[in-house]
Amino acid sequence: MGTLQGKVALVTGSARNIGRAIALGLAAQGAHIVVNARRSREDVEAVAADIRSAGGSADVIMADLGEASQVKGLFAEIKDKHGKLDILVNNAAVRRETPLANISAAEWRIVMSSILDASFFCSQAAASMMPDGGRIISMGGLSAHTGASNRAHVVAAKAGLVGLTKALAMELAPRHITVNLVAPGRIDTNREKTGAPNPTHHSGHNSPLGMQGSPEDVTAMVVHLAGPGGQYITGQTIHVNGGIYLP
């Protein structure tokens, strides 16, 4: 029996990479997983299938989380199917690299809505149906603390999550709902292994451990925060970065 047996968890943006690893990790502890993405239905169906083949339980709900109406529909479906949501992992994001002079108003809004708006909408909806003792965990980023060229919109959105986390932690504390932010450092993901251009915002940031992290390293922290061991941790930004950044 896992530590999350009987819990229902939504992992947004869980089609690939860190989101996929988190979904699998929470499922391994017994949680039923709602796998979510905006467009990648084939990928999220594959994640749900992997969970089921390992003996876990999962279903798929597609939604664009930057749209408040779609978030409302997503959570209505979760409530109809499961009656509650115990764990929310705000992982969905758009990660663009664009020089300041070239960031259009449209691109600014796309990035802000996919990261900050989506996390707010989902946290607001989750809190209304989450039992006391629930967990809200958002995924931040190293660049929100170090700065980064060509990422003004992403850095601003991720930094906004720090404030949102603190505010929600205080407001939801009377219900023992913990709210935390996990900030990964350099993580070895599929995006960096495919033909897509490698991200450059972490160039020059080398871990003292001499290695990149894996999605499973991030997952381990999320699973801890979601479980019994995380009950006295709230309002925190927890860095999983191998020592690249020491706050």
Side-chain angles (χ1 to χ4, degrees):
M1 298 264 308
T3 59
L4 301 176
Q5 200 72 35
K7 304 294 186 182
V8 178
L10 166 63
V11 184
T12 70
S14 45
R16 293 181 293 275
N17 298 324
I18 292 174
R20 177 183 182 277
I22 291 171
L24 293 172
L26 294 174
Q29 291 299 316
H32 174 88
I33 308 300
V34 178
V35 187
N36 160 264
R38 180 167 60 100
R39 292 183 303 194
S40 308
R41 177 171 285 278
E42 183 177 343
D43 290 332
V44 290
E45 292 287 0
V47 173
D50 287 344
I51 290 171
R52 296 184 198 113
S53 67
S57 174
D59 62 317
V60 170
I61 305 178
M62 306 296 291
D64 181 347
L65 304 180
E67 297 289 338
S69 60
Q70 292 196 38
V71 172
K72 183 177 180 180
L74 166 64
F75 280 85
E77 188 169 345
I78 292 172
K79 188 170 185 178
D80 182 60
K81 287 182 175 180
H82 307 293
K84 64 170 184 173
L85 182 71
D86 300 284
I87 301 160
L88 167 65
V89 181
N90 290 311
N91 174 72
V94 171
R95 300 170 179 88
R96 301 279 182 90
E97 291 199 24
T98 307
L100 175 63
N102 297 337
I103 297 175
S104 65
E107 183 174 341
W108 175 270
R109 281 309 316 152
I110 288 170
V111 171
M112 294 298 288
S113 66
S114 71
I115 298 174
L116 189 54
D117 294 358
S119 294
F120 168 73
F121 292 147
C122 288
S123 297
Q124 183 183 50
S128 69
M129 60 186 286
M130 187 172 279
D132 290 358
R135 303 283 195 267
I136 297 174
I137 304 162
S138 298
M139 302 306 299
L142 176 63
S143 60
H145 305 273
T146 63
S149 297
N150 303 324
R151 291 199 119 203
H153 39 14
V154 175
V155 171
K158 292 287 189 178
L161 290 178
V162 176
L164 180 64
T165 295
K166 292 179 179 181
L168 297 184
M170 295 297 291
E171 186 163 346
L172 298 176
R175 295 176 51 199
H176 290 191
I177 294 174
T178 65
V179 187
N180 290 289
L181 186 70
V182 175
R186 296 187 68 179
I187 304 299
D188 188 14
T189 63
N190 289 333
R191 187 177 82 164
E192 296 171 350
K193 296 176 182 177
T194 64
N198 287 330
T200 61
H201 58 282
H202 286 167
S203 60
H205 292 279
N206 296 313
S207 165
L209 297 178
M211 56 186 283
Q212 290 190 53
S214 70
E216 288 71 27
D217 291 322
V218 180
T219 296
M221 179 54 66
V222 173
V223 170
H224 177 70
L225 292 172
Q231 68 178 358
Y232 199 56
I233 305 170
T234 196
Q236 304 302 309
T237 296
I238 301 174
H239 294 270
V240 181
N241 63 28
I244 290 174
Y245 169 74
L246 303 175

